[in-house]
Amino acid sequence: MPVQWAFNDIEQGGYGGRELFVRPLDPESRFLIVTEGSSDAAILRHAWKILRPHVADFFDFVDMEEGYPFSGTGNVYRFVQGLISISVQNNVLVLFDNDAEGVANYERCRGLKVLPNMRILKLPDLPAFRSFQMIGPNGELKADINGRGAAIECYLNLDTKARVRWTSYNSKADTY
């Protein structure tokens, strides 16, 4: 049967604060989300608060206010190796962008002996990214940015002026 835990009137009446009725989530029920950078973590943190506020407190992000300690996909790979080596007990989600670097390191991480409490993910390919406006060595044209240039920001509500600019060549993936 559905159960409703109602304490708002007690809290609003000043008889006790929320902390008397709602206990913190046990560490084994929480998830640690590891991303490529602090902006990725900020976007996801904000999205949880908007889309699923009732579970937003289930997630912690590897992030520090004065700078993300493991920026870049190569460092995320090494961090994942470290988590595996210490047999981390937390539930861990590692999320890579759907760009050349992210996909390359996603594949590298998938080759590790990942613990049962860990998931290695990358942002999905989207049909809208098969023909996305980009600026590259051949000028401005439309190209498929799935697996090549789809950073997390591309998954936001973009206006029609949004562009991906190819800036560097990834020799491992043989793509910009």
Side-chain angles (χ1 to χ4, degrees):
M1 293 183 71
V3 175
Q4 183 175 352
W5 183 248
F7 57 86
N8 191 47
D9 54 340
I10 296 171
E11 184 179 18
Q12 294 295 319
Y15 298 104
R18 181 179 182 85
E19 65 279 355
L20 293 174
F21 307 101
V22 179
R23 69 178 180 87
L25 195 62
D26 294 327
E28 60 271 2
S29 299
R30 299 181 67 77
F31 288 82
L32 176 67
I33 299 180
V34 180
T35 62
E36 294 179 36
S38 58
S39 65
D40 296 10
I43 289 167
L44 292 172
R45 187 180 295 114
H46 190 67
W48 281 117
K49 287 179 184 173
I50 292 171
L51 300 172
R52 300 287 189 269
H54 57 288
V55 296
D57 62 337
F58 284 44
F59 302 94
D60 296 309
F61 295 84
V62 176
D63 191 12
M64 294 182 185
E65 288 187 12
E66 276 137 37
Y68 189 69
F70 308 106
S71 63
T73 56
N75 288 330
V76 173
Y77 173 77
R78 286 187 284 287
F79 183 60
V80 170
Q81 287 178 310
L83 292 175
I84 293 168
S85 73
I86 63 168
S87 298
V88 67
Q89 298 300 299
N90 303 66
N91 296 307
V92 179
L93 301 171
V94 180
L95 181 64
F96 288 99
D97 284 340
N98 188 11
D99 57 14
E101 283 294 317
V103 171
N105 283 288
Y106 163 75
E107 293 297 338
R108 284 176 67 197
C109 282
R110 287 191 54 208
L112 298 171
K113 286 190 95 173
V114 177
L115 303 169
N117 55 318
M118 295 178 75
R119 296 292 180 269
I120 309 298
L121 308 167
K122 74 166 184 66
L123 294 171
D125 287 358
L126 293 181
F129 295 159
R130 287 188 194 128
S131 181
F132 197 89
Q133 199 66 36
M134 50 79 58
I135 303 170
N138 298 329
E140 190 166 334
L141 51 101
K142 290 191 178 210
D144 187 349
I145 64 167
N146 284 307
R148 299 175 59 207
I152 196 168
E153 292 80 4
C154 294
Y155 293 78
L156 302 175
N157 190 13
L158 301 174
D159 68 23
T160 57
K161 296 178 186 173
R163 305 283 186 269
V164 167
R165 180 180 295 275
W166 302 130
T167 57
S168 60
Y169 180 74
N170 182 314
S171 59
K172 292 178 197 167
D174 190 29
T175 188
Y176 281 91

